[in-house]
Amino acid sequence: MKNKIMLAFLLALVAVRAEESMDKLWGSAGVKGGTKAERMALFRDGNYGMFIHWGLFSHLGGQWRGQTFYGIGEWIKRQMKISESDYMALAKEFNPSDFDAREIARVAKAAGMKWIIITSKHHEGFAMFKSAHPFNIVDATPFHRDPMKELAAACREAGLGFGFYYSHNQDWTAPGGSGGPAQNPDGTPATFEKYFREKCYPQVKEICTQYGPLNYIWFDTPGRIPKEFVMELAELVRKTQPGALLCSRIGYDMGDYVSKGDMEVPPRNIEGDWETCDTTNDSWSYAWYDQNWKDAREILLRLVQTVGRGGTYLLNIGPDGKGRVPPQVAKYLVKAGEWIKRYPQVVYGAGPSPFGHALPWGDATTQSNTLNLVVFDWPGDGQLWLPGLQSEIASATLIGSSAPVTWTKRGTWTAFQLPAARPDAPAAVIAVQLKGAPKADQTLGVYPNAPATLLVEFAEVQNAEKKENRWMEKFGEWKHATQISKWQPDGKAVWSVDVCAAGDYRLDLVYKGEGRPVWRIESDEGVTLQNQQAASAIYHAQPMGLLTFKTPGKRTLTVTLVEGDRAKTSLEALRLSPAE
Ligand code: JFZ
């Protein structure tokens, strides 16, 4: 009886803490400065690499015993509670006979990527390389080949950098690994130390010593791994692979660069060496149903935005259980790569945008005194508006077009006059030669011919709470938004904006919550809008009305919550589109 109560109590505790412990498993990661320039060169100049999630989970492809798991595919064992023995038995069926390392390297190369990082062992604990530990692709499957050897060789041959992902903390099939069995096969309690000594450390040594020189060891989800283990791993990598970069997810600030939260292009420029990892659909590993492929436009937009924010873009693909790259992935990666080959200067060795944030029609990167304006949404009226450019312009050319590009100034704004037809898709590039280093006032613009999104990230907040909201759409599919909630009666969000042209603008607020909040928006010219609209459970844009700017120039907009759930109503952005 006592035991039963104890068990019920424990189960309840587990349920309550599930969400919290998930966060702990993922853990947080940072980085300390002091990196070697040689080690960083590929990362800093290349700006674009391929990530590959491939393992036993790829064989399941998001399905177990006829049931689909709608979430990141490589978590299927844990999320569908597949037992260790059932899961480990899958190795006998795993035969990725269509795996072609050269083809993958060809796709990466044609995509314009400069390196490949592949999962050598994910949280499932299965080694995709020949290992002394028996749960590996060479010894436990009918495939018998070492695909990591093949891929390392193919990358070298193609002139691509190469590196391994290795899940050092989580191991769901090794006793003692985080998320793994609590007992050893003989019934004794398992310890992390034993897992570390017998599996983790020896395997990291294997990947560091048997695959030639590496550019990356990408450890992941440090969770609560004790520091001494991380120090040992870092030392091992430094000793055996002096040219390899460690990402911050090794834990304890021991990385060479920061790996941002997944699938996130940050809204404003970030200094230092950092990367964002993203995936070509919603899952990292292959999932049979997941057709939410990024097309070339989306791939390029996110790549250019990441480089514009000062970062490096690591874009993932998930080969299937036969080792094939889904055709839609190859198609659009290569299509994006063809564009990059026409505009390599936009990506390789490119610096951040002087504007500090994305622009409504696209984004900007720099090469010394050249500003690359990457235009995804071609202006219908032939005017490309740029707020706050402070450097003087020497010349401007629309690449791939002989049409001259002229420019005019209106206050702090610059307009480039463009031909009606855009010369290239999914984006055209205007190279602007500046007389000196690119410099701009980073105030958000309100554009006369394009919708402006003012994120709360850029607002000053009084008597309300501005905080990052992180949530999962499908399991493991992270979304991020800085938002404002916990409004006190006098709580407000205030944006400074630079208005190019006086006139009427359609104003939407993007928020979530319950019921029907009442919002008030007020400009420093005394123009107000007050309106009630429904809130929904996800961020959704709701129209507030037409707001008039009487004069152009620097204005402020203040948003207050007049009525509604003050704790939970969560504001993400304000949008302004010129009325037509
Ligand atoms: C981790 C893994 O659990 C996942 O399977 C995948 O490999 C991904 C690339 O990395 O997931 C994470 C890790 C860190 C965060 C979110 C998901 N984070 O810091 O927001």
Side-chain angles (χ1 to χ4, degrees):
M1 187 59 197
K2 220 177 174 181
N3 278 344
K4 263 194 188 156
I5 292 172
M6 197 61 198
L7 187 68
F9 174 71
L10 279 176
L11 284 176
L13 199 69
V14 166
V16 167
R17 302 199 56 159
E19 206 55 28
E20 190 201 336
S21 72
M22 197 58 75
D23 232 55
K24 290 214 173 105
L25 262 183
W26 259 299
S28 70
V31 77
K32 249 186 210 138
T35 60
K36 278 202 185 136
E38 314 96 73
R39 210 160 55 215
M40 293 307 305
L42 178 71
F43 180 92
R44 287 181 182 154
D45 291 341
N47 281 333
Y48 189 26
M50 177 182 275
F51 206 8
I52 302 180
H53 276 64
W54 196 45
L56 257 191
F57 40 73
S58 311
H59 172 63
L60 291 180
Q63 196 173 33
W64 171 245
R65 297 198 169 146
Q67 279 216 338
T68 294
F69 165 58
Y70 294 94
I72 48 175
E74 69 281 6
W75 276 70
I76 194 166
K77 183 199 174 294
R78 194 181 167 96
Q79 295 312 109
M80 283 202 143
K81 302 188 166 52
I82 305 173
S83 72
E84 277 74 61
S85 56
D86 280 346
Y87 198 81
M88 292 175 83
L90 288 170
K92 293 201 280 295
E93 301 167 11
F94 184 43
N95 191 4
S97 50
D98 292 335
F99 176 78
D100 181 350
R102 282 198 167 134
E103 170 60 12
I104 292 179
R106 186 197 66 78
V107 170
K109 193 90 185 165
M113 292 159 156
K114 296 291 189 186
W115 60 85
I116 294 180
I117 300 173
I118 187 164
T119 49
S120 64
K121 185 206 82 172
H122 204 268
H123 311 333
E124 64 176 1
F126 183 67
M128 292 293 282
F129 57 97
K130 167 73 182 160
S131 173
H133 190 284
F135 192 38
N136 75 75
I137 192 164
V138 178
D139 298 318
T141 77
F143 185 54
H144 295 309
R145 281 157 52 188
D146 183 341
M148 301 298 117
K149 271 251 147 79
E150 296 173 20
L151 193 60
C155 284
R156 208 153 298 129
E157 196 179 288
L160 290 164
F162 184 65
F164 287 121
Y165 171 111
Y166 188 90
S167 176
H168 57 327
N169 178 47
Q170 293 195 72
D171 191 313
W172 301 332
T173 47
S178 176
Q183 292 189 338
N184 296 310
D186 65 5
T188 56
T191 63
F192 187 83
E193 163 104 46
K194 185 172 153 73
Y195 149 74
F196 184 81
R197 293 279 160 244
E198 292 178 7
K199 185 172 183 186
C200 176
Y201 189 91
Q203 285 196 328
V204 173
K205 194 166 182 180
E206 286 169 340
I207 59 175
C208 283
T209 52
Q210 310 201 347
Y211 297 87
L214 301 174
N215 301 97
Y216 293 90
I217 295 287
W218 213 93
F219 291 109
D220 193 15
T221 65
R224 281 184 286 186
I225 184 172
K227 187 171 183 179
E228 60 265 29
F229 297 125
V230 172
M231 287 174 72
E232 276 192 52
L233 289 176
E235 207 181 290
L236 172 61
V237 174
R238 294 288 186 236
K239 223 183 262 160
T240 55
Q241 291 287 348
L245 295 178
L246 291 166
C247 87
S248 56
R249 294 189 190 190
I250 188 173
Y252 297 99
D253 297 339
M254 279 185 240
D256 292 296
Y257 65 90
V258 172
S259 169
K260 306 289 299 169
D262 300 357
M263 305 174 186
E264 180 193 17
V265 179
R268 60 165 94 224
N269 287 16
I270 298 174
E271 301 262 320
D273 295 304
W274 60 271
E275 151 202 280
T276 188
C277 56
D278 199 3
T279 185
T280 38
N281 49 355
D282 292 334
S283 176
W284 298 98
S285 74
Y286 175 76
W288 72 268
Y289 63 87
D290 188 351
Q291 307 273 7
N292 196 13
W293 308 119
K294 290 179 176 59
D295 60 9
R297 178 192 157 98
E298 211 176 341
I299 291 168
L300 290 169
L301 183 60
R302 291 174 76 85
L303 168 63
V304 172
Q305 283 179 341
T306 301
V307 175
R309 301 292 76 72
T312 287
Y313 194 53
L314 183 64
L315 183 57
N316 175 76
I317 69 168
D320 70 10
K322 283 274 132 204
R324 296 171 297 210
V325 178
Q328 298 284 63
V329 173
K331 178 177 171 183
Y332 289 110
L333 282 181
V334 171
K335 194 166 181 216
E338 285 162 358
W339 186 93
I340 297 169
K341 286 200 172 68
R342 298 198 287 281
Y343 310 98
Q345 71 276 20
V346 167
V347 177
Y348 308 128
S353 164
F355 300 99
H357 48 78
L359 303 169
W361 41 256
D363 217 314
T365 68
T366 50
Q367 289 279 357
S368 52
N369 292 351
T370 305
L371 181 63
N372 306 306
L373 303 178
V374 189
V375 187
F376 285 85
D377 289 324
W378 195 251
D381 63 359
Q383 302 287 319
L384 187 79
W385 286 101
L386 211 53
L389 181 66
Q390 291 165 330
S391 329
E392 216 186 306
I393 300 171
S395 68
T397 41
L398 175 58
I399 301 178
S401 161
S402 51
V405 175
T406 56
W407 63 93
T408 50
K409 283 270 181 189
R410 186 197 287 181
T412 53
W413 290 75
T414 309
F416 293 90
Q417 285 77 49
L418 304 179
R422 66 173 179 178
D424 203 355
V429 178
I430 299 157
V432 183
Q433 303 298 331
L434 302 170
K435 296 181 185 162
K439 256 190 80 187
D441 174 351
Q442 301 192 347
T443 306
L444 296 176
V446 175
Y447 293 68
N449 63 348
T453 298
L454 315 180
L455 297 171
V456 299
E457 165 82 34
F458 298 94
E460 294 292 327
V461 177
Q462 287 166 33
N463 302 319
E465 189 181 271
K466 179 157 123 179
K467 232 177 96 188
E468 170 111 341
N469 187 12
R470 201 175 75 128
W471 70 98
M472 288 182 188
E473 220 104 287
K474 285 197 280 293
F475 177 86
E477 191 197 335
W478 288 100
K479 301 280 158 169
H480 314 249
T482 300
Q483 54 87 51
I484 299 171
S485 55
K486 299 192 181 158
W487 302 82
Q488 291 166 37
D490 53 351
K492 50 177 79 131
V494 184
W495 280 271
S496 299
V497 292
D498 188 356
V499 178
C500 185
D504 299 335
Y505 292 80
R506 189 165 289 291
L507 192 150
D508 296 339
L509 288 181
V510 183
Y511 60 94
K512 68 169 190 156
E514 278 169 31
R516 296 190 184 86
V518 175
W519 297 98
R520 183 183 167 86
I521 304 103
E522 189 170 359
S523 79
D524 58 345
E525 294 176 309
V527 178
T528 61
L529 283 181
Q530 184 158 321
N531 204 353
Q532 182 187 57
Q533 293 288 12
S536 59
I538 52 166
Y539 289 107
H540 186 74
Q542 288 281 35
M544 293 295 133
L546 284 186
L547 184 98
T548 306
F549 288 112
K550 296 188 227 169
T551 51
K554 294 278 174 79
R555 302 264 75 87
T556 63
L557 285 174
T558 302
V559 173
T560 49
L561 180 65
V562 179
E563 279 173 42
D565 185 334
R566 300 202 160 273
K568 290 205 197 102
T569 306
S570 166
L571 180 67
E572 188 191 65
L574 182 156
R575 279 193 202 146
L576 287 164
S577 323
E580 291 189 53

